[in-house]
Amino acid sequence: MIETTSSRSETRSKIVDVAARLLREQGPAAVTTRGVAEGAGVQAPTIYRLFGDKDGLLDAVAEHVMATYVSTKAAIVEAASAGDVDPIDDLRAGWEMQIGFGVANPTLFVLLSDPARALRSPATQSGQHVLASRVHRVALTGRLRVSEKRAVDLIHAAGTGAVLTLLSTPPEQRDPQLADDLFDTVLRRIVTDAPERPETSPAASAVAVRAIASQLTMLSDAERQLLTEWLDRAIGAL
């Protein structure tokens, strides 16, 4: 029987779904070539042909689950942008969603926290883009006191650290306030309580202008690029 591109894709998806279910319900030890092959109704060599080895299969599972999760986050951000959701509230909601996902999917979270995997994972990069979109909304309000990149890096680092700390602690000993307190600490560092006037907070004002620089179509591309460079330099020095 000749394998078509469609049948190959269907077989691959079935294997990934089975592996994801086993991982979620029984843990990584259950994700064996034999167990996945039986659950998907395929021969073991099919898994090796499609994924190379168990590690390749786990990569595919992580990417699949993360992509589904990120698409949900992106839809929430889009809805918040279209509505009247406060950007800070939206940022907090995203944080809580990320912490919940990490604690509920420990094996996948640890896999995706590996820098080598993260760099080659489209879903992980998309997740970073969603976070950047949330931070950009805060910048547009004039409340961000650091650069957008700095804010994204701080939130990402704190979130990863919070989840890994919780996962390394027995469930009955976990501090339920740890993640919330950490987010509040980061929030105090990156945002102001209210939009600031230029004379009282030049950094927040510069960040706000930087956020809309790409929309200043009355300037040429070269002028917008130069403005962006000047603002980045000013934000870094303030």
Side-chain angles (χ1 to χ4, degrees), residues 48-115:
Y48 292 113
R49 176 165 53 81
L50 292 175
F51 303 98
D53 53 22
K54 179 179 176 178
D55 197 52
L57 175 57
L58 286 174
D59 273 344
V61 170
E63 190 67 18
H64 168 70
V65 175
M66 188 65 178
T68 302
Y69 166 65
V70 169
S71 66
T72 301
K73 286 207 306 181
I76 292 173
V77 172
E78 184 176 352
S81 299
D84 57 357
V85 178
D86 180 82
I88 302 297
D89 291 341
D90 182 46
L91 195 62
R92 184 181 295 276
W95 168 276
E96 293 173 350
M97 188 176 181
Q98 179 70 7
I99 299 299
F101 173 82
V103 172
N105 298 273
T107 303
L108 289 180
F109 189 87
V110 172
L111 283 174
L112 292 167
S113 297
D114 178 352

Side-chain angles (χ1 to χ4, degrees), residues 2-57:
I2 298 176
E3 182 182 49
T4 65
T5 301
S6 177
S7 63
R8 177 186 177 92
S9 178
E10 290 176 2
T11 299
R12 192 178 192 281
S13 295
K14 184 185 297 184
I15 292 171
V16 170
D17 286 342
V18 169
R21 176 175 55 79
L22 289 173
L23 185 64
R24 181 178 61 254
E25 295 177 355
Q26 302 178 41
V31 187
T32 63
T33 302
R34 179 178 178 180
V36 173
E38 289 179 353
V42 301
Q43 299 297 316
T46 301
I47 295 178
Y48 292 113
R49 176 165 53 81
L50 292 175
F51 303 98
D53 53 22
K54 179 179 176 178
D55 197 52
L57 175 57

Side-chain angles (χ1 to χ4, degrees), residues 23-202:
L23 185 64
R24 181 178 61 254
E25 295 177 355
Q26 302 178 41
V31 187
T32 63
T33 302
R34 179 178 178 180
V36 173
E38 289 179 353
V42 301
Q43 299 297 316
T46 301
I47 295 178
Y48 292 113
R49 176 165 53 81
L50 292 175
F51 303 98
D53 53 22
K54 179 179 176 178
D55 197 52
L57 175 57
L58 286 174
D59 273 344
V61 170
E63 190 67 18
H64 168 70
V65 175
M66 188 65 178
T68 302
Y69 166 65
V70 169
S71 66
T72 301
K73 286 207 306 181
I76 292 173
V77 172
E78 184 176 352
S81 299
D84 57 357
V85 178
D86 180 82
I88 302 297
D89 291 341
D90 182 46
L91 195 62
R92 184 181 295 276
W95 168 276
E96 293 173 350
M97 188 176 181
Q98 179 70 7
I99 299 299
F101 173 82
V103 172
N105 298 273
T107 303
L108 289 180
F109 189 87
V110 172
L111 283 174
L112 292 167
S113 297
D114 178 352
R117 277 191 170 92
L119 289 173
R120 66 174 186 263
S121 167
T124 299
Q125 298 306 313
S126 295
Q128 284 285 84
H129 178 71
V130 171
L131 173 57
S133 296
R134 281 187 155 112
V135 168
H136 183 66
R137 291 188 64 226
V138 178
L140 290 172
T141 68
R143 296 183 61 185
L144 198 64
R145 68 167 83 234
V146 299
S147 72
E148 292 184 44
K149 183 181 184 306
R150 177 73 168 173
V152 168
D153 288 346
L154 284 170
I155 295 170
H156 175 69
T160 300
V163 173
L164 292 178
T165 298
L166 290 170
L167 292 179
S168 65
T169 306
E172 68 277 6
Q173 297 178 21
R174 290 174 185 170
D175 179 357
Q177 283 296 118
L178 176 68
D180 288 343
D181 289 348
L182 186 54
F183 180 77
D184 288 339
T185 299
V186 173
L187 204 60
R188 285 193 294 270
R189 174 66 184 88
I190 67 175
V191 304
T192 61
D193 290 336
E196 297 286 345
R197 298 189 302 275
E199 65 270 21
T200 59
S201 182

